[in-house]
Amino acid sequence: MSGKRKKIIAVIGAGQPSPEEANTAEEVGRELARQGATLICGGLGGIMEAACRGASSEGGLTIGILPGDNAKMANPYVQVPIVTGMGYARNVVVVKSAQAVIAVGGSYGTLSEIAHALQNNIPVIGLNTWSLSKNSKQDNSIILADNPIDAVAKALNLAEKQLPIE
Amino acid sequence: MSGKRKKIIAVIGAGQPSPEEANTAEEVGRELARQGATLICGGLGGIMEAACRGASSEGGLTIGILPGDNAKMANPYVQVPIVTGMGYARNVVVVKSAQAVIAVGGSYGTLSEIAHALQNNIPVIGLNTWSLSKNSKQDNSIILADNPIDAVAKALNLAEKQLPIE
Amino acid sequence: MSGKRKKIIAVIGAGQPSPEEANTAEEVGRELARQGATLICGGLGGIMEAACRGASSEGGLTIGILPGDNAKMANPYVQVPIVTGMGYARNVVVVKSAQAVIAVGGSYGTLSEIAHALQNNIPVIGLNTWSLSKNSKQDNSIILADNPIDAVAKALNLAEKQLPIE
Amino acid sequence: MSGKRKKIIAVIGAGQPSPEEANTAEEVGRELARQGATLICGGLGGIMEAACRGASSEGGLTIGILPGDNAKMANPYVQVPIVTGMGYARNVVVVKSAQAVIAVGGSYGTLSEIAHALQNNIPVIGLNTWSLSKNSKQDNSIILADNPIDAVAKALNLAEKQLPIE
């Protein structure tokens, strides 16, 4: 039965993105839905709303993991609002529930999600997002993508390897 | 758009219920699905699995809010496993994401969910579950139901009043 | 070295207690400090503040596990404010950090803490707090105390058995 | 009364640091204690243990915010173990409870803590830790320190500005 579960891909990014970033996220959402994946995100505005709008327009399922106490805070394209009341600790839940993460731009909240994902060995695909280095040594853990279609293809391919073996 | 969201009802109860309690939970799940509601639960076995099995058999959507670090721990009838890694703090998320809660039997974990729900003004419908009193005064906040059909009817009626006004 | 750690006892109860309950909590705090125990609580007003005031007046250490985002919300007798930003999910942290819990009166938040403690096999001593029953069968897990001195004696005795064996 | 609260400084870094990093963390801990600050950390080994050992050797107070379910997991120099059972979501609590954060080296867990701190406008002082950039633009939010004494001086100076105004 769990073999029938859909892949779940997280889309993360800023609440106040540039118009280009929002377009990118919307196309990511559309492509995820076309490929039959479920979208999970932080449930609020900006990148999260754009991705949910894209997924909804193609009939995909959208899950929003909300930081606050009320489902009303979810963007209108979230079909299943999960109310945590846990503030930014909910970032951990967004990435741990996914088999791969696509980061579009983003600020420190997005960076925390990237870090939590990498800490949990969940692959992160980046579209114009953070670059990391330590002691002048570049960290190449974030997998770069050229465009939304490429990002979704990479995410779904890597997600395959994360799924529980039956 | 959020006006189109389905009602979300939590079903809570023990991981090791009696056969009668499991049958009750399965019928609660079936009836929730027949009435078009989404089922949310703690994602593990016992009452949670029975309710998800019932809902799945009628084509309903099932969400499991898991305490551990791995979606593999979800029962096979959970369609959307949410991985919190937060242990029993996830109990708060189960009830806050619902507009009403149905408790079937249950041990201390269930009691903590009942308490978190009542603290958040989320209605709790009980089927052979905990009774509460303080200083010899009975607390009647848990709404008693006669059977699964009655419990679901009461939950959906009370959930109506919890939904965000558009 | 950890053999030198002090016992940590949680005091839980309502934010808006009766004057009698507040006096009881203050005396519990005083006695905990006299006996050399550290007090942990939810960090806010009412029972939490009364207990911290009592403990502080006898030179005891007080820890407040705050639900919100700001240490300013702590009552003035909290010496170490822990800022969780996790809302009532912090109730789990209050009880799990203690080797025993003393409940004074209390509403649903207190009930959730009692339930989380019992679920984790952490002893709960009650002073005019909740009574629990299931299917008409009384649950006697909450240990009744006659007065603050008795409650602290019972808590410290039971805490002894919870401490890690070195 | 809260005017008498000590400053709380978080020390974050890897569980398996290099010997040089551990020495650095121990000196940070010593200096924090000498300056009268309370040390908060994730409570486990490596950088966390080295910092607590340093603080303890100078009579400072040490708080460990543990990810697991048991105080036994705390390093022996943690005086107050806080048991969250929330896994890496506890990283949020470590930084939110501090008025400034000192990062020594570190892996992805440390990066998540840096990100959560910056998201909450809590200053981060770095000793050979992560560097951040986005879209080829360097992010200079992490304040570089030359050595442990410099790091503590900067942390305490910035913490001053974070304290609640009475």
Side-chain angles (χ1 to χ4, degrees):
Chain A
M1 179 79 189
S2 67
K4 290 168 60 185
R5 275 185 202 138
K6 293 180 176 188
K7 287 174 190 167
I8 302 182
I9 307 296
V11 179
I12 63 176
Q16 305 194 320
S18 71
E20 290 75 18
E21 289 172 330
N23 287 343
T24 297
E26 188 165 350
E27 181 57 19
V28 166
R30 271 196 297 268
E31 180 66 5
L32 282 171
R34 279 183 216 120
Q35 299 297 332
T38 294
L39 167 66
I40 196 166
C41 70
L44 302 179
I47 290 298
M48 298 168 266
E49 180 163 348
C52 288
R53 187 169 51 235
S56 284
S57 74
E58 296 282 344
L61 181 63
T62 57
I63 315 279
I65 309 291
L66 295 161
D69 280 319
N70 202 310
K72 288 188 210 182
M73 301 300 291
N75 76 60
Y77 306 100
V78 169
Q79 291 162 34
V80 181
I82 303 295
V83 180
T84 72
M86 290 182 184
Y88 289 113
R90 74 77 149 88
N91 293 7
V92 178
V93 181
V94 172
V95 298
K96 290 187 84 153
S97 299
Q99 290 96 43
V101 174
I102 299 173
V104 183
S107 188
Y108 295 123
T110 305
L111 179 61
S112 77
E113 292 173 312
I114 291 171
H116 283 297
L118 294 175
Q119 187 182 24
N120 284 282
N121 293 313
I122 296 167
V124 177
I125 293 90
L127 286 162
N128 288 317
T129 190
W130 291 93
S131 300
L132 310 174
S133 58
K134 198 169 65 167
N135 290 338
S136 310
K137 235 178 65 184
Q138 183 64 25
D139 176 299
N140 292 314
S141 301
I142 300 176
I143 297 155
L144 303 183
D146 295 328
N147 55 57
I149 306 293
D150 183 40
V152 170
K154 282 173 167 155
L156 292 176
N157 185 38
L158 289 160
E160 189 74 36
K161 299 168 189 164
Q162 298 281 325
L163 282 177
I165 293 156
E166 303 295 311
Chain B
M1 177 78 189
S2 66
K4 291 168 58 185
R5 273 181 204 145
K6 293 181 176 185
K7 287 174 191 167
I8 302 182
I9 307 296
V11 179
I12 62 176
Q16 304 194 321
S18 71
E20 290 74 20
E21 289 172 332
N23 286 343
T24 296
E26 188 165 348
E27 181 58 18
V28 166
R30 271 196 297 268
E31 179 67 5
L32 282 170
R34 282 184 214 118
Q35 299 298 331
T38 293
L39 167 66
I40 196 166
C41 69
L44 302 179
I47 290 298
M48 299 167 267
E49 179 164 348
C52 288
R53 188 170 50 235
S56 284
S57 73
E58 296 282 344
L61 181 62
T62 58
I63 315 280
I65 309 292
L66 295 161
D69 281 319
N70 201 311
K72 287 188 209 182
M73 299 301 291
N75 75 62
Y77 307 100
V78 168
Q79 290 161 32
V80 181
I82 303 296
V83 180
T84 71
M86 289 182 183
Y88 290 112
R90 73 80 149 84
N91 292 8
V92 178
V93 181
V94 172
V95 298
K96 291 187 84 152
S97 299
Q99 290 96 42
V101 174
I102 299 174
V104 182
S107 187
Y108 294 123
T110 305
L111 179 60
S112 78
E113 292 172 311
I114 291 171
H116 283 298
L118 295 176
Q119 187 181 27
N120 284 283
N121 292 314
I122 297 166
V124 177
I125 292 91
L127 285 161
N128 287 317
T129 190
W130 290 94
S131 301
L132 310 173
S133 57
K134 199 170 64 170
N135 289 338
S136 310
K137 237 180 62 184
Q138 183 64 25
D139 177 300
N140 293 313
S141 302
I142 301 176
I143 297 157
L144 303 183
D146 295 327
N147 55 57
I149 306 293
D150 182 40
V152 170
K154 282 172 167 156
L156 292 176
N157 185 38
L158 290 160
E160 191 73 37
K161 299 168 189 165
Q162 299 279 325
L163 282 177
I165 293 156
E166 301 297 309
Chain C
M1 178 78 189
S2 66
K4 290 168 60 187
R5 273 181 204 145
K6 292 181 177 186
K7 287 175 191 166
I8 302 182
I9 307 295
V11 179
I12 62 175
Q16 305 194 321
S18 71
E20 290 75 19
E21 289 171 331
N23 286 343
T24 296
E26 187 164 349
E27 180 58 18
V28 166
R30 272 196 297 267
E31 180 66 6
L32 283 171
R34 282 183 214 119
Q35 299 298 331
T38 294
L39 167 66
I40 195 165
C41 69
L44 302 179
I47 290 298
M48 299 167 266
E49 179 163 350
C52 289
R53 187 169 53 235
S56 284
S57 74
E58 296 282 345
L61 181 62
T62 58
I63 315 280
I65 310 291
L66 295 161
D69 280 318
N70 202 310
K72 287 188 210 180
M73 300 299 292
N75 75 61
Y77 308 100
V78 168
Q79 291 162 32
V80 181
I82 304 295
V83 179
T84 71
M86 291 185 183
Y88 290 113
R90 75 81 150 82
N91 292 8
V92 177
V93 181
V94 172
V95 298
K96 290 187 85 153
S97 299
Q99 290 95 44
V101 174
I102 300 174
V104 182
S107 187
Y108 294 123
T110 305
L111 179 61
S112 78
E113 292 172 313
I114 291 171
H116 284 297
L118 294 176
Q119 187 181 25
N120 284 283
N121 293 313
I122 297 166
V124 177
I125 293 92
L127 285 161
N128 287 318
T129 190
W130 291 94
S131 300
L132 309 174
S133 57
K134 199 169 65 168
N135 290 338
S136 310
K137 237 179 65 184
Q138 182 64 25
D139 177 299
N140 292 313
S141 302
I142 300 176
I143 296 156
L144 303 182
D146 295 328
N147 55 57
I149 306 293
D150 182 41
V152 170
K154 282 172 167 156
L156 292 176
N157 185 39
L158 290 160
E160 190 74 36
K161 299 168 188 165
Q162 299 280 325
L163 282 177
I165 294 155
E166 303 296 308
Chain D
M1 178 79 188
S2 67
K4 291 168 59 184
R5 274 185 203 140
K6 293 181 175 185
K7 287 175 191 166
I8 303 182
I9 307 296
V11 179
I12 63 175
Q16 305 194 322
S18 71
E20 290 76 18
E21 289 171 331
N23 287 343
T24 297
E26 188 165 350
E27 181 58 18
V28 167
R30 271 195 298 267
E31 180 66 6
L32 283 171
R34 281 182 215 120
Q35 299 298 331
T38 293
L39 167 66
I40 196 166
C41 69
L44 302 179
I47 291 298
M48 298 168 266
E49 180 164 348
C52 288
R53 188 170 51 234
S56 284
S57 74
E58 296 283 344
L61 181 63
T62 58
I63 315 279
I65 309 290
L66 295 161
D69 281 319
N70 202 310
K72 288 188 209 182
M73 301 300 292
N75 75 60
Y77 308 100
V78 169
Q79 290 161 35
V80 181
I82 302 294
V83 180
T84 72
M86 289 183 184
Y88 290 113
R90 74 78 148 85
N91 293 6
V92 178
V93 182
V94 172
V95 298
K96 290 187 84 152
S97 299
Q99 289 96 44
V101 174
I102 299 174
V104 183
S107 187
Y108 295 122
T110 305
L111 179 61
S112 77
E113 292 172 313
I114 291 171
H116 283 297
L118 295 175
Q119 186 182 25
N120 284 282
N121 292 313
I122 297 166
V124 177
I125 293 91
L127 285 161
N128 288 316
T129 190
W130 291 93
S131 301
L132 310 174
S133 58
K134 199 169 64 167
N135 290 338
S136 310
K137 236 178 66 183
Q138 183 64 24
D139 177 299
N140 292 314
S141 302
I142 300 175
I143 297 156
L144 303 183
D146 296 328
N147 55 56
I149 306 294
D150 182 40
V152 170
K154 283 174 166 154
L156 292 177
N157 185 38
L158 289 160
E160 190 74 37
K161 300 168 190 166
Q162 298 281 325
L163 282 178
I165 293 155
E166 304 296 310

